[in-house]
Amino acid sequence: MLNPTGPDTPPALAVARILRLALAASVVLYGVLTMVLRDKIAPMDLPGEVHAIFHGIAGLLVLAGIWLFRRVGPTGPRAPSGEPAPEPTGPRLALPPRMIAGWVLFESVGVVGLVVSLIGGTGQLLVLAALVLILLHPPRREWFS
């Protein structure tokens, strides 16, 4: 395990792990909904152009999420030399905003997959991709130093 839980684990890291698992669980539910509800609604023939547009949007969401995750850094302020800056007197961010935004973008790929599945296309692959992306981008201990 890359980031074992221990007594020195920052509380924000534990919260980030729980949030990530909750997002993954919601994407799993999207997959279940696509399988259960798809058989209950009348099948519609989704035009190829609309199908391609939805998959293109999902691709852009994936790229944006990966771009954000490549720029996640520690939540605390840094001095220009890269060393931690003195403790701020005001409130600190509990979780890195780019991490949260990246996970939201990955989850939205699952939502697009759910919508595509319900309107007659094949969106199950998008739901699976969303789950894999969320699971492949865990919070890192160095982001919470």
Side-chain angles (χ1 to χ4, degrees), residues 15-93:
V15 170
R17 289 176 179 166
I18 292 169
L19 178 62
R20 177 175 159 252
L21 291 177
L23 289 171
S26 70
V27 172
V28 169
L29 289 176
Y30 299 157
V32 170
L33 282 174
T34 62
M35 291 185 288
V36 171
L37 295 179
R38 174 109 189 217
D39 297 333
K40 305 285 185 208
I41 59 173
M44 296 179 288
D45 193 19
L46 188 63
E49 298 83 22
V50 175
H51 198 266
I53 289 172
F54 275 118
H55 280 75
I57 290 170
L60 291 175
L61 292 170
V62 167
L63 291 176
I66 291 172
W67 182 81
L68 283 173
F69 260 97
R70 292 182 151 268
R71 282 151 184 77
V72 176
T75 56
R78 295 279 175 188
S81 64
E83 298 175 10
E87 282 296 316
T89 56
R92 287 183 47 171
L93 295 173

